[in-house]
Amino acid sequence: GMKEMLVSVSEETTMGVKRLYQMQANGTLLFSEETTTLLFDNLYGFRHSLPDGLMRATDITIAGKIAVDCGHGDVGRGCAAALKAVGARVMGTEIDLICALQALTEGIPVLTREDVVSEAGLFVTTTENADIIMVRHMKQMKNAAIVCNIGHFDNEIDMLDLEAYRGIKRITIKPQTDPWVFPQTRRGIIILAERLLMNLGCPTGHPSFVMSCSFTNQAAALHLGKPGDKFRKLTPEQAACIR
């Protein structure tokens, strides 16, 4: 089968790597993780592609807006840095104590969704987890609040219940930019990229230099050990020192 024909497989996304860890745990795969995605893609890539996507999709003025960074891991840190750089008042939500501490030391208040849902004008999910922004949150948002996902999966924003909400009205301004108006309040929120990755749906993704760093690293890893390559390995004692 195909498995026997493969020499190696390369996975670019952070969540994809987590799935590979799961496969490794059950014995179906052996792999090693390279750090360029964590250090470059997730920080510097999203720092560029988030504001790029917001500009292309909405032409909004970010300066002065209250922006909620849902999750302050590597992706969230890049997004928060980009939003702060253009004058947004950034707030964060987080469940990990270390990530929350990082946000606080970067001047970002850490609150709950319920604390900020009616105040903010922009919500960005970066968690790579499910059920981050639900319909009950969207109903409380101010008119024309922008909601987008840049984490990974399409279940961070509860679009299934939003689409099924009685009397909800969808207005497509242009592809990937859709206000959804609630019948009771007649307030509308703007969903970007239909809950999918807005940095791919609205702009063109990360800058080529950022991506080339990851791909070059992956390509180099595939060629290690070829005839003529020489590199030494740690002794067991050395390896034990850095575990």
Side-chain angles (χ1 to χ4, degrees):
M2 181 176 292
K3 181 178 179 181
E4 288 71 27
M5 298 170 58
L6 292 175
V7 176
S8 65
V9 176
S10 177
E11 168 57 45
E12 174 62 17
T13 67
T14 305
M15 183 52 71
V17 169
K18 291 181 180 179
R19 294 293 176 260
L20 295 181
Y21 271 122
Q22 293 173 352
M23 295 175 68
Q24 180 174 256
N26 63 30
T28 59
L29 182 72
L30 177 64
F31 88 107
S32 61
E33 181 178 0
E34 55 91 7
T35 59
T36 313
T37 292
L38 298 177
L39 299 180
F40 279 81
D41 292 19
N42 289 355
L43 184 59
Y44 302 112
F46 288 105
R47 187 183 293 183
H48 174 96
S49 58
L50 172 62
D52 184 22
L54 290 172
M55 293 299 97
R56 297 196 196 204
T58 66
D59 293 318
I60 62 166
T61 298
I62 300 175
K65 282 190 178 296
I66 297 177
V68 179
D69 175 30
C70 299
H72 200 71
D74 291 319
V75 174
R77 289 177 62 202
C79 293
L83 293 170
K84 288 184 68 176
V86 292
R89 293 175 287 165
V90 180
M91 299 181 179
T93 67
E94 185 52 73
I95 61 169
D96 183 276
L97 294 179
I98 299 301
C99 291
L101 181 60
Q102 286 181 308
L104 290 171
T105 55
E106 292 165 10
I108 299 172
V110 178
L111 303 167
T112 68
R113 291 167 295 181
E114 289 69 25
D115 292 328
V116 298
V117 68
S118 62
E119 301 295 327
L122 171 62
F123 297 82
V124 184
T125 62
T126 71
T127 69
E128 299 182 339
N129 210 326
D131 301 337
I132 305 304
I133 294 182
M134 310 301 289
V135 169
R136 67 178 183 273
H137 301 126
M138 301 181 209
K139 289 173 62 178
Q140 300 177 58
M141 293 177 184
K142 61 171 60 178
N143 189 50
I146 297 169
V147 180
C148 60
N149 168 41
I150 206 167
H152 187 79
F153 290 126
D154 61 1
N155 55 1
E156 297 201 33
I157 300 171
D158 183 19
M159 288 298 295
L160 294 180
D161 286 338
L162 181 64
E163 292 168 352
Y165 192 89
R166 183 183 294 273
I168 195 76
K169 184 177 181 181
R170 175 180 179 177
I171 305 169
T172 299
I173 297 176
K174 59 182 179 180
Q176 311 290 346
T177 306
D178 301 296
W180 293 75
V181 181
F182 288 96
Q184 296 91 342
T185 61
R186 297 189 179 181
R187 292 200 304 264
I189 60 169
I190 301 174
I191 302 288
L192 301 186
E194 301 183 20
R195 78 181 175 187
L196 303 175
L197 288 173
M198 66 83 68
N199 65 308
L200 298 179
C202 299
T204 55
H206 294 343
S208 58
F209 173 76
V210 170
M211 299 308 298
S212 71
C213 289
S214 282
F215 294 141
T216 300
N217 195 350
Q218 293 170 11
L222 297 180
H223 291 283
L224 289 177
K226 297 290 184 180
D229 293 337
K230 295 181 180 180
F231 58 97
R232 67 179 298 274
K233 296 182 179 180
L234 296 176
T235 66
E237 292 77 14
Q238 290 174 320
C241 287
I242 59 174
R243 284 177 184 166

